[in-house]
Amino acid sequence: MSILNIVPGQLTLADLRRVSRETGLQLQLDASAHAGIDASAATVARVLAEGRTVYGINTGFGLLASTKIATDELELLQRSIVLSHAAGIGAPMEDSTVRLVMALKINSLSRGFSGIRRLVIDALITLFNRGIYPVIPQKGSVGASGDLAPLSHMSAVLIGEGEAFVDGVRVPGAVAMRSAGLTPITLAPKEGLALLNGTQASTAFALEGLFAAEDLFAAATVAGSLSVEAALGSRTPFDARIHEVRGHQGQIDAARAYRELLDHSDIERSHENCGKVQDPYSLRCQPQVMGACLTQIRNAAEVLRVEANAVSDNPLVFAGDNDILSGGNFHAEPVAFAADNLALAIAEIGSLSERRMALLIDSNLSKLPPFLVNNGGVNSGFMIAQVTSAALASENKSLAHPASVDSLPTSANQEDHVSMATFAGRRLREMASNTAGILAVELLAACQGIDFRAPNKSSEKLEAAKAMLREKVSFYDKDRYFAPDIEQAAVLVASGRYNALLAGGLLPSV
């Protein structure tokens, strides 16, 4: 059994990748968190005892913030906000996304600035560890005032409402709590608001987009190197001196990755004196384009690492000062920008890959058989596979439109500027799937091209990459039902197996 010990505020991207990808992972809260959590809850109780009026604790919410709530209705207030805000719509989040949402919320609440009791956090940990995942609709958040609807659906299970998946079966929240050995919780003042305020849904979507972008970057670097080999491309554009004088670290690192993949190749030696001066940009400018993508991935990773460890609910409890302050940490603009930049990187990775694949099927450019198959005319080979790539690349262009530039006021204009971060992160899954498909087609084409270069072989690493594909898909000797080949290759691309062929430390969470 694998255990992740959460020291609040210190989750790494590698930790979060584990949360997303490892089923059966168990969470435990480090004992160092207990004092801060208890002090924060005690401060809320003390403020109420002093008769102070504090937003979200003994007032209404949003535009109703000036409405004072009677003491005997404070527990009802917290229950009501969870139920009324559970207004999401659409298909449920994937289990991997829900695991991230729950782990991020546990991490944030455990920082000791949310005024929530330890027993509530412990209940979330128990649900996570039992593999009991709240049913959280994907749609319904604008990424400001927190991800209110998604987090309300998560929180509803804690009070015995809503729904959850238990062993894959959708059951009422009360049944889910019993399955976990828990009884429904009566939320104390501030606790409902603490649970549903925050950026955890937006951040979870964006983190999954980040992890996918990293896997795509690795697969694209491998596929692009294979295409260089298949097309008998020049090694000169990857020379370190070219990239050092420009100075962009992402470009420098990407070029090094290509050099390490292409090093010591029989195919390279077979055309040392070919006289070719330049290759098309899709081969020659890979370090520049992919390096720019790597920079965006790294920048987004740092923003998301910070946000994953942030306290983003409201109001915030500062126990040492006996103070509770209302602010706007729930506004997910940083997450929206990070997700939008990841969208650009994912789209460009796919766009460049489609151009390389198009080059390979053009015998005038690649000097390979037309459409990468023998007996052309009878066989159409990779002709329509390239059309599929073009369709996916074009679709990603529309999906890459920045979500963060949009804003619709909500809550009777109290929340008059929002981030749209939840959609910004959510659409990354579809974009990543499209790009995995594009890379799958290139991977098939490039390996086909290298097989045509036999008996010459590629480098040790690229031969290993080809072998991974050939475990699932054989050489395309004549036309056959093509879709299963693409599907198998896409699964390989999305699996992250190609990450191991790149140097450690290149990608933020790997």
Side-chain angles (χ1 to χ4, degrees):
M1 182 172 58
S2 185
I3 297 175
L4 175 61
N5 184 58
I6 295 181
V7 179
Q10 296 184 29
L11 284 176
T12 67
L13 291 170
D15 292 335
L16 293 163
R17 182 182 266 266
R18 289 179 62 199
V19 170
S20 175
R21 301 290 177 89
E22 287 186 28
T23 56
L25 179 69
Q26 301 289 288
L27 303 182
Q28 68 179 21
L29 183 61
D30 194 84
S32 64
H34 295 172
I37 296 168
D38 294 343
S40 179
T43 300
V44 172
R46 185 164 55 250
V47 164
L48 286 170
E50 293 170 356
R52 290 157 59 183
T53 299
V54 180
Y55 169 72
I57 295 178
N58 53 8
T59 74
F61 308 106
L63 200 65
L64 303 175
S66 60
T67 303
K68 182 75 178 288
I69 307 298
T71 301
D72 61 358
E73 292 186 309
L74 294 183
E75 289 181 352
L76 177 61
L77 173 69
Q78 299 302 313
R79 178 179 178 85
S80 296
I81 190 176
V82 171
L83 297 177
S84 66
H85 285 45
I89 194 168
M93 290 181 185
E94 299 288 339
D95 287 352
S96 61
T97 312
V98 175
R99 285 197 298 271
L100 274 172
V101 172
M102 296 174 76
L104 291 170
K105 179 54 81 173
I106 290 163
N107 185 45
S108 180
L109 294 175
S110 300
R111 289 280 306 275
F113 297 96
S114 299
I116 195 165
R117 292 169 296 166
R118 212 189 313 168
L119 71 89
V120 183
I121 299 172
D122 288 343
L124 273 176
I125 293 173
T126 298
L127 290 174
F128 183 104
N129 289 344
R130 298 287 178 87
I132 296 173
Y133 305 132
V135 175
I136 306 178
Q138 293 188 27
K139 300 180 181 182
S141 173
V142 296
S145 261
D147 291 311
L148 295 170
L151 293 174
S152 293
H153 282 277
M154 180 200 74
S155 305
V157 175
L158 294 172
I159 62 174
E161 299 285 351
E163 295 179 296
F165 289 108
V166 179
D167 296 327
V169 178
R170 190 166 175 165
V171 301
V175 174
M177 289 291 279
R178 284 198 301 272
S179 298
L182 300 170
T183 56
I185 294 171
T186 299
L187 296 174
K190 175 70 168 70
E191 290 183 337
L193 189 57
L195 283 164
L196 59 88
N197 233 325
T199 64
Q200 285 76 35
S202 296
T203 305
F205 278 132
L207 281 167
E208 292 212 301
L210 168 67
F211 304 146
E214 292 175 316
D215 296 339
L216 295 170
F217 180 91
T221 306
V222 170
S225 298
L226 287 164
S227 290
V228 169
E229 289 283 72
L232 303 181
S234 173
R235 299 302 203 280
T236 301
F238 306 104
D239 191 300
R241 292 169 291 182
I242 293 173
H243 309 287
E244 291 289 346
V245 298
R246 194 177 197 188
H248 293 297
Q249 193 61 50
Q251 178 179 325
I252 291 167
D253 293 344
R256 183 175 69 251
Y258 284 102
R259 289 196 304 274
E260 291 173 353
L261 287 167
L262 289 161
D263 195 31
H264 300 306
S265 163
D266 293 338
I267 293 176
E268 176 191 13
R269 286 187 285 273
S270 74
H271 64 99
E272 284 177 332
N273 301 311
C274 67
K276 182 189 288 187
V277 178
Q278 287 186 338
D279 293 316
Y281 286 4
S282 60
L283 297 182
R284 188 184 358 147
C285 296
Q286 287 186 82
Q288 288 79 9
V289 177
M290 293 295 287
C293 292
L294 180 58
T295 296
Q296 293 305 313
I297 289 169
R298 287 171 168 174
N299 289 344
E302 177 57 19
V303 171
L304 296 177
R305 182 194 64 79
V306 171
E307 191 67 16
N309 288 292
V311 180
S312 56
D313 62 297
N314 184 63
L316 300 180
V317 180
F318 296 90
D321 303 321
N322 193 32
D323 215 349
I324 301 177
L325 304 179
S326 183
N329 277 2
F330 47 63
H331 200 296
E333 194 83 340
V335 179
F337 278 19
D340 281 346
N341 288 329
L342 284 171
L344 296 177
I346 291 170
E348 281 298 275
I349 289 169
S351 178
L352 191 65
S353 172
E354 184 277 327
R355 289 292 81 204
R356 290 192 301 265
M357 190 272 167
L359 180 155
L360 292 177
I361 64 173
D362 185 340
S363 59
N364 293 317
L365 293 172
S366 68
K367 308 306 179 188
L368 291 163
F371 301 109
L372 298 172
V373 69
N374 288 319
N375 197 16
V378 172
N379 294 312
S380 295
F382 283 69
M383 181 189 296
I384 303 305
Q386 186 268 327
V387 175
T388 296
S389 290
L392 295 172
S394 181
E395 189 172 303
N396 273 353
K397 292 176 186 178
S398 296
L399 288 169
H401 180 81
S404 58
V405 299
D406 187 25
S407 176
L408 281 174
T410 60
S411 193
N413 281 311
Q414 174 76 359
E415 298 155 8
D416 57 355
H417 182 277
V418 300
S419 72
M420 299 299 178
T422 324
F423 171 67
R426 176 165 54 83
R427 70 34 157 110
L428 296 178
R429 179 184 288 270
E430 184 174 1
M431 293 186 69
S433 178
N434 287 343
T435 297
I438 297 168
L439 289 171
V441 172
E442 184 194 3
L443 189 62
L444 291 165
C447 289
Q448 183 85 355
I450 285 180
D451 282 339
F452 276 120
R453 301 301 182 191
N456 291 320
K457 289 182 175 288
S458 187
S459 68
E460 183 178 342
K461 285 188 174 182
L462 292 180
E463 287 293 332
K466 183 163 77 77
M468 291 182 198
L469 179 72
R470 289 289 177 244
E471 290 172 6
K472 304 293 184 181
V473 182
S474 63
F475 178 78
Y476 195 91
D477 58 342
K478 61 183 178 181
D479 281 352
R480 64 182 184 235
Y481 189 41
F482 211 148
D485 293 357
I486 298 173
E487 177 61 25
Q488 290 281 357
V491 170
L492 175 59
V493 166
S495 71
R497 286 183 67 188
Y498 285 133
N499 295 346
L501 295 177
L502 272 59
L506 187 70
L507 299 170
S509 81
V510 178

